[in-house]
Amino acid sequence: MSGYKNFAVAGAGTIGNYIIQQLLKDKAAGIVNEVVVFTRQASKTVEGNAKVVQVDYSNEGSIKNALTGVDVVISTISATALDVQVEIAAAAKKAGVQLFVPSEYGGISEEETEGLFAAKANMQSQLKALGMPYAAFYTGPFADFVWLPVVGLDVTSGKVSVGGDGNKQITFTARPDVARFISYVLTRLPAEQLKNRRFTIAGDNKSFNEIFKAYEEKTGKKLEITYVPVSELDARLAANPQDLVAYLHKLYAISGPFQRTDNHLYPDWNPSPVIDNLPIA
């Protein structure tokens, strides 16, 4: 059996809209038959020829009805609402959905026991318990989105903050590249090669120091960089385990790049380098 044809995307935000638009491109090319977008808000609009359905995630019947004829559910639920996926997956199982893509799109979460990654790993365990086949996609931070003031990485401000010494390389992938890879493998690879599989992809591997240097060379602007010791990040997490900024910066400081990738599964994939995705003021 070849890849899947009918998709439902839960969420249309940070990464969801990119996946939706790529699926719609594949629909226009005759590769995809149907793209359904789940939303909690009746007023939500999505650009393009997608079927937008308002869904009550607390009502299994509401979700199940919306999944009629769907082959794959792609969850792009935000980090603050990951638990909602359990209800979606249970309804998907009953509706005959063949594959569930949980909301990962970051670092490798399996075997993690703390923080955000633990919640993501737990979702994979719950999918296994449900008997719901799944495909998870690990991408590293989004190369076109991570440069935010809230995490101290707004390069346009001239001041940035990173965990550790900034020399550890990290895997980054831009959202359009993530969307292209996901749509490609879900629609082209045989279905049996997708079930209960974790895909690891890498758009670019760079350290923050390498990125900051490239930014300075490109813009002629000097950045003021603050390095936060891992011990300080640990102290912040001990005081507040929900400190997402400290958690992310600790990951950046210690995790390193992906050691193995599945980039080869999409031979024509040409992900963009990090520097091309930095905001230039």
Side-chain angles (χ1 to χ4, degrees), residues 64-86:
K64 184 178 176 182
N65 289 338
L67 287 171
T68 301
V70 168
D71 300 321
V72 181
V73 172
I74 302 175
S75 173
T76 65
I77 298 296
S78 69
T80 58
L82 291 176
D83 288 348
V84 169
Q85 295 181 108
V86 178

Side-chain angles (χ1 to χ4, degrees), residues 212-230:
F212 297 151
K213 180 180 178 182
Y215 178 83
E216 291 175 340
E217 291 174 349
K218 188 171 185 176
T219 64
K221 299 178 180 178
K222 184 69 175 177
L223 293 173
E224 181 181 328
I225 307 170
T226 299
Y227 297 100
V228 183
V230 172

